[in-house]
Amino acid sequence: MPTQELQQRQILSQRQLQALNILSLDGAALDEMLKKEEIDNPLFDLDKIHGTVERPISVQTPDKEGNLSERAAPDKTAQDLYLFLESQLPANATKAERGVFRHMVEFLEPGTGLLPETVEEVAEIMAAPLYVVERCLSWLHQMEPAGVGAATTSESLVLQAFHKGVTDQTLLGILFDHLEDVAAKRYRTIMRAYGLTMEEVQHYVSLIRTLEPYPTAAFGGGESAGFIVPDLEFYCKDGQWGVRVQDRWSSGVPYSSYYDLSGTDATPELRTYLQEQHRHADYIVQCVEKRRSTLQQLGQLILNTQLAFLAEGQPLHTLTADMLAEQMGVNPSTVSRAIKGKYVKTPTKVYPLSYFLTRAGNRSGDAAPDSRSEVLAALHKLLQEEDPVHPLSDAQLADQLTAQGITTTRRTVAKYRLLLGIPGAFERKQ
């Protein structure tokens, strides 16, 4: 009986993973995925759709500093990434740990290598023990390419800095809280925030340029070089603004009428096969339609918030992934996957959807924005100086930080410890 329950939970995990992956696809990638499904599933008949597809728009993609430049097409694959990461696993990793690690790699955002879900969310979806997921994430954060598996671009760059042995608290603060200012070249804002000279700010910017915002970009799955197809459109007609999803699958994915499950001449084996294919097709259609409804809702909320910017050119209003997630009743990681790598067409130009979001807020229990770099730097020092025979637990680390005047929580300590690729106290004990 326990075995049967475990199998059911694993099947659920795979279905949830597929739904997350479909949500994260841009329009072009969704098109390719459904064409592959058509090849594998005889019940799909994509030729029945006669909708129009948005003409690809030539764009240049932003580099580390926010400038526009052409990006070379990736010459590796997602499979290469998994094999490369798997080759770095400890030799004593168990079969169960390797299985969790494999699924964790599948969770990585294509082209970026980010993992927006928390360890608790990953453990729940995989039906895996939390400590195993934490151990695998700790391994992932120690691997090359540096920065893989971080929750956000800021955290990925921070992790890369630590890989390079750079622990300057000012640099960490800029990466955490002023990445948008770096991209927009608002150097005077950074000067005022940290009391720096222009030369010092430029020095930090030059260090940031040596880091890679998309650690796994070379392994494919990211934004296409040079051309994009907008996934959303913000339009204005007769003075009224609206939003529409730009995909040819808006009316659903049609089924082929060639195979009739009600026929009496089909063999039992054929009927069973077609029924399985039909169930799978139904689920794919549900995922595609859920993706569309999520993008529609997300686009409408962004449009409502940033209407003054679009209509009158006023500054953007404060809008974060957490705020959107709360309004939509979903997890912030769902918003992150829905936005990542997608573009919106407006009457004047094409924007990355992420352009309309300001700096992301913290989840409950995280350190305040102005103390995150301080927590991370102090935690790194404590872990370097601890007694390896009696390593400190996360709660003890939080107490020692509090004693230093840095108020934090055990959860924040655990998060930043994992970000640094450092395992729990039990595994650190010598």
Side-chain angles (χ1 to χ4, degrees):
M1 185 64 68
T3 303
Q4 183 178 4
E5 180 183 358
L6 177 61
Q7 290 175 343
Q8 290 174 342
R9 295 177 72 183
Q10 288 176 335
I11 292 172
L12 177 62
S13 170
Q14 288 299 311
R15 289 166 71 89
Q16 289 177 316
L17 177 59
Q18 190 164 33
L20 285 172
N21 286 338
I22 289 177
L23 175 62
S24 67
L25 296 177
D26 60 24
L30 177 65
D31 191 44
E32 289 300 316
M33 186 276 289
L34 288 176
K35 287 177 180 177
K36 184 178 183 302
E37 285 289 335
E38 182 183 35
I39 294 174
D40 297 337
N41 192 332
L43 298 185
F44 272 151
D45 187 0
L46 304 184
D47 289 336
K48 286 188 173 182
I49 294 182
H50 301 292
T52 59
V53 181
E54 181 72 14
R55 183 182 180 86
I57 297 175
S58 178
V59 297
Q60 294 176 311
T61 52
D63 61 14
K64 302 181 185 74
E65 196 180 5
N67 298 317
L68 296 178
S69 61
E70 295 292 341
R71 290 179 63 185
D75 57 0
K76 298 182 180 180
T77 67
Q79 179 64 13
D80 291 328
L81 173 63
Y82 168 67
L83 293 175
F84 180 62
L85 294 173
E86 184 189 37
S87 69
Q88 301 175 65
L89 279 173
N92 61 350
T94 66
K95 183 178 180 180
E97 290 168 343
R98 290 178 180 274
V100 170
F101 183 82
R102 182 181 69 252
H103 289 306
M104 185 173 288
V105 174
E106 292 174 348
F107 266 63
L108 298 177
E109 288 186 344
T112 71
L114 298 180
L115 183 67
E117 286 80 13
T118 66
V119 287
E120 291 83 5
E121 292 163 357
V122 174
E124 181 179 356
I125 293 174
M126 291 184 182
L130 180 61
Y131 76 91
V132 175
V133 175
E134 288 185 340
R135 182 178 302 163
C136 290
L137 185 60
S138 175
W139 289 337
L140 189 61
H141 285 174
Q142 298 176 64
M143 294 178 177
E144 296 291 343
V148 65
T152 65
T153 299
S154 290
E155 290 188 5
S156 178
L157 297 178
V158 167
L159 183 55
Q160 291 175 52
F162 273 94
H163 272 244
K164 290 175 176 284
V166 180
T167 59
D168 186 301
Q169 190 170 319
T170 301
L171 176 65
L172 299 181
I174 294 173
L175 290 175
F176 270 129
D177 304 320
H178 294 278
L179 211 51
E180 291 180 1
D181 293 326
V182 172
K185 299 185 179 180
R186 294 190 290 264
Y187 298 157
R188 294 192 181 279
T189 301
I190 302 174
M191 290 171 60
R192 290 192 295 269
Y194 295 96
L196 302 173
T197 65
M198 179 60 73
E199 290 73 18
E200 289 171 329
V201 171
Q202 290 175 339
H203 169 69
Y204 283 118
V205 170
S206 66
L207 288 177
I208 293 172
R209 287 176 181 171
T210 66
L211 307 177
E212 174 55 63
Y214 307 122
T216 62
F219 291 89
E223 298 162 359
S224 58
F227 295 91
I228 62 167
V229 178
D231 292 274
L232 289 170
E233 180 183 7
F234 293 157
Y235 64 90
C236 183
K237 185 176 182 181
D238 299 328
Q240 298 295 316
W241 283 82
V243 58
R244 66 169 63 97
V245 179
Q246 299 275 80
D247 70 75
R248 62 184 297 218
W249 318 112
S250 299
S251 57
V253 181
Y255 294 110
S256 170
S257 58
Y258 182 80
Y259 295 94
D260 183 5
L261 293 179
S262 63
T264 58
D265 56 344
T267 65
E269 292 79 6
L270 178 59
R271 289 180 62 82
T272 299
Y273 169 75
L274 292 177
Q275 288 169 351
E276 291 175 352
Q277 292 299 314
H278 197 280
R279 282 193 294 269
H280 177 71
D282 278 343
Y283 184 68
I284 294 297
V285 169
Q286 291 173 21
C287 291
V288 171
E289 293 178 346
K290 179 63 175 177
R291 172 190 180 275
R292 182 175 189 277
S293 64
T294 299
L295 288 179
Q296 182 74 34
Q297 183 183 11
L298 184 65
Q300 190 63 58
L301 291 173
I302 292 175
L303 178 62
N304 293 344
T305 305
Q306 309 297 11
L307 184 57
F309 168 82
L310 291 163
E312 305 169 15
Q314 296 183 17
L316 290 170
H317 288 285
T318 300
L319 183 64
T320 68
D322 284 345
M323 293 167 62
L324 288 169
E326 183 176 356
Q327 294 179 67
M328 297 172 66
V330 300
N331 193 279
S333 63
T334 300
V335 174
S336 175
R337 286 185 179 270
I339 288 176
K340 195 69 178 180
K342 297 183 177 66
Y343 291 78
V344 57
K345 178 182 177 182
T346 75
T348 57
K349 61 185 296 186
V350 174
Y351 294 93
L353 203 54
S354 58
Y355 179 87
F356 296 94
L357 272 66
T358 55
R359 185 173 56 211
N362 298 315
R363 295 192 181 189
S364 175
D366 282 0
D370 59 356
S371 69
R372 287 179 295 184
S373 58
E374 186 181 11
V375 172
L376 193 57
L379 176 62
H380 183 258
K381 188 172 185 295
L382 282 176
L383 289 168
Q384 284 187 318
E385 297 175 351
E386 73 175 353
D387 181 359
V389 180
H390 301 96
L392 300 169
S393 67
D394 292 337
Q396 291 172 323
L397 288 167
D399 289 341
Q400 291 209 14
L401 289 172
T402 301
Q404 296 179 21
I406 304 174
T407 304
T408 187
T409 65
R410 184 207 63 80
R411 175 180 174 179
T412 299
V413 168
K415 173 182 175 179
Y416 288 144
R417 175 179 55 75
L418 288 170
L419 176 62
L420 293 171
I422 297 175
F426 179 78
E427 294 174 271
R428 300 200 307 274
K429 187 174 182 179
Q430 296 182 6

